[in-house]
Amino acid sequence: MPCLVDARGLRCPLPLVKARAALAALAASDTLVVLATDPESPIDLGALASDTGRAFACECADGEWRFELGPVQNR
């Protein structure tokens, strides 16, 4: 089951800070799901996924973002 961070209603940089803290506690094979409403979140969390070598997927519905930072990918 993925780890969930609900950062809806939080402004930049808090969604990123919470996601980074949650990733630190996860194994490389685990998935983190982040829910956010901040418009900067796609940029911040996409960069976090890239920096940590994790798979990244995002979708937006009604102003709410859902991000998935998947297991670490082989580089």
Side-chain angles (χ1 to χ4, degrees), residues 2-8 10 14-20 22-23 26 31-37 41 45 48 56-59 64-69:
C3 176
L4 176 67
V5 171
D6 188 348
R8 292 176 289 187
L10 300 178
L14 291 177
L16 174 63
V17 170
K18 290 187 169 285
R20 186 177 287 138
L23 276 181
L26 296 181
T31 296
L32 175 66
V33 172
V34 181
L35 305 177
T37 52
S41 293
L45 294 173
L48 178 62
F56 181 70
C58 67
E59 55 188 51
E64 288 193 4
W65 289 93
R66 183 183 188 278
F67 304 97
E68 204 169 285
L69 285 78

Side-chain angles (χ1 to χ4, degrees), residues 39-65:
E40 297 298 317
S41 293
I43 296 165
D44 293 343
L45 294 173
L48 178 62
S50 179
D51 290 347
T52 58
R54 289 184 172 268
F56 181 70
C58 67
E59 55 188 51
C60 184
D62 299 323
E64 288 193 4
W65 289 93

